[in-house]
Amino acid sequence: MKKVIVIGASRGIGKELSLRLANENVHTIATLRNLEAAVDELKTNSNVHLQALDIKDETSVRQFFSNLEDFNEVGALVFVAGVGSFGDFVDLDTEAYDHMFDTNVKGLYLVAREFLKAMPSLGCRFICISSDVSARGIAKGALYSSTKHAQRAMLRSLQMEYRDRIQFTEIRPGNVATNFAGNEGLEIGDLNLSPEDVVDAILYVLYQAARVRVDEIVIRPNSRDIEY
C-alpha cells in the first residue's frame, strides 16, 4: 500500500490505526494538534511520520498539505478527528456548538478541500469516521448528531462530484470504548466496540481493489439497540 495520512492520531481509533498501518510496513503520516500528545509507540516507530496539524485552522491545514513530500505516493487519507458534547439541549452553550462544528464540520471541509487540491493519482481513497447517528437523531446529542449529518452530506456530495477521481467512504461506528467526550473506563464488549474493531473496518476499505467503491460501513456493539 502507498502512504496513508491519518488525521487525528493522538489517541483512540487514530492512534490504533496509525500503529496498525505502521506495523504492516505502511508509511503513515499521523497528525496531531499537539505533537507532545503522541504516545511513545508512535514516536519510536520508524514507519510513522508525526506532523502537527490543527484542522480548525485554515492556515495550518494549507501548510500541512503544501509541505507534504512525495504526495503522489499517498494512497489514502483517513479522517478520524472528532469531538462531542452531550446533554440537555438548552444547557449546551455556543462554546460547545462552535467546538463541535469547527472540528467535525469545518475541519472535514478544510482537510477535504486541500486534499482535493493537491490530490495524487487516480484511485485514491478518502475515509471519514463519522458515527451511526449521521443518519438519525439522538436525545441529548442534537448538536453532535447535526455535525455528523453534515459530514455525511458533504461526503456524499463529494462522491458525486469527484466520482471518477476518488472514492469516499463513511464509516459509522456506534459506541466505542475510547475516552471520547470524556467517557473513560468503558469496557469493551457487547455494549461497546473496541478501537481495533473500527480499525478492522478501515483496513477492509483500504485493501479493496481500486475498482471497488465502499460507500459506507455501519458497525455497532451487538447489544445496542437496532436502529436504521
Side-chain angles (χ1 to χ4, degrees):
M1 184 187 296
K2 298 178 180 180
K3 292 180 182 178
V4 175
I5 301 171
V6 179
I7 305 294
S10 62
R11 59 190 182 186
I13 298 166
K15 181 197 74 175
E16 296 300 329
L17 173 62
S18 298
L19 290 172
R20 180 86 73 87
L21 288 169
N23 291 335
E24 294 184 8
N25 293 317
V26 176
H27 184 86
T28 305
I29 303 168
T31 77
L32 306 88
R33 187 175 58 179
N34 180 8
L35 291 179
E36 294 180 359
V39 298
D40 290 339
E41 293 172 284
L42 288 175
K43 292 178 181 178
T44 58
N45 195 308
S46 61
N47 285 325
V48 176
H49 181 59
L50 296 174
Q51 287 269 18
L53 173 64
D54 182 354
I55 62 171
K56 297 188 295 182
D57 183 84
E58 185 172 6
T59 300
S60 177
V61 176
R62 283 180 170 172
Q63 289 178 343
F64 169 75
F65 283 101
S66 64
N67 292 337
L68 278 181
E69 297 180 357
D70 300 323
F71 195 70
N72 285 332
E73 296 181 8
V74 174
L77 182 146
V78 185
F79 187 93
V80 188
V83 295
S85 295
F86 302 89
D88 289 343
F89 185 76
V90 295
D91 294 330
L92 291 172
D93 55 23
T94 53
E95 183 178 352
Y97 175 95
D98 289 341
H99 186 44
M100 281 187 281
F101 274 85
D102 283 352
T103 303
N104 299 348
V105 184
K106 180 182 176 183
L108 177 60
Y109 155 68
L110 291 175
V111 169
R113 187 188 68 182
E114 297 307 313
F115 180 77
L116 288 166
K117 285 181 180 179
M119 192 176 63
S121 58
L122 301 180
C124 196
R125 294 188 184 274
F126 189 109
I127 300 171
C128 177
I129 311 304
S130 64
S131 169
D132 69 333
V133 302
S134 69
R136 64 183 179 90
I138 177 174
K140 297 186 182 297
L143 295 182
Y144 175 73
S145 179
S146 296
T147 68
K148 295 301 170 177
H149 277 68
Q151 286 186 335
R152 182 176 180 85
M154 192 182 307
L155 292 167
R156 292 200 166 193
S157 298
L158 289 173
Q159 184 64 84
M160 294 174 181
E161 186 173 349
Y162 293 92
R163 61 176 299 166
D164 296 328
R165 301 172 57 193
I166 188 169
Q167 294 128 348
F168 289 87
T169 300
E170 179 192 12
I171 295 183
R172 304 171 56 208
N175 297 65
V176 183
T178 68
N179 57 358
F180 176 78
N183 291 326
E184 297 184 8
L186 294 178
E187 295 185 0
I188 298 169
D190 285 347
L191 291 176
N192 298 294
L193 301 170
S194 72
E196 291 81 2
D197 294 330
V198 183
V199 170
D200 287 340
I202 297 169
L203 292 180
Y204 169 80
V205 178
L206 290 177
Y207 285 114
Q208 290 299 307
R211 66 180 179 275
V212 177
R213 191 186 78 235
V214 183
D215 292 323
E216 67 177 281
I217 295 177
V218 183
I219 53 174
R220 294 191 177 105
N222 192 49
S223 292
R224 293 289 182 179
D225 291 342
I226 298 173
E227 301 275 0
Y228 296 111

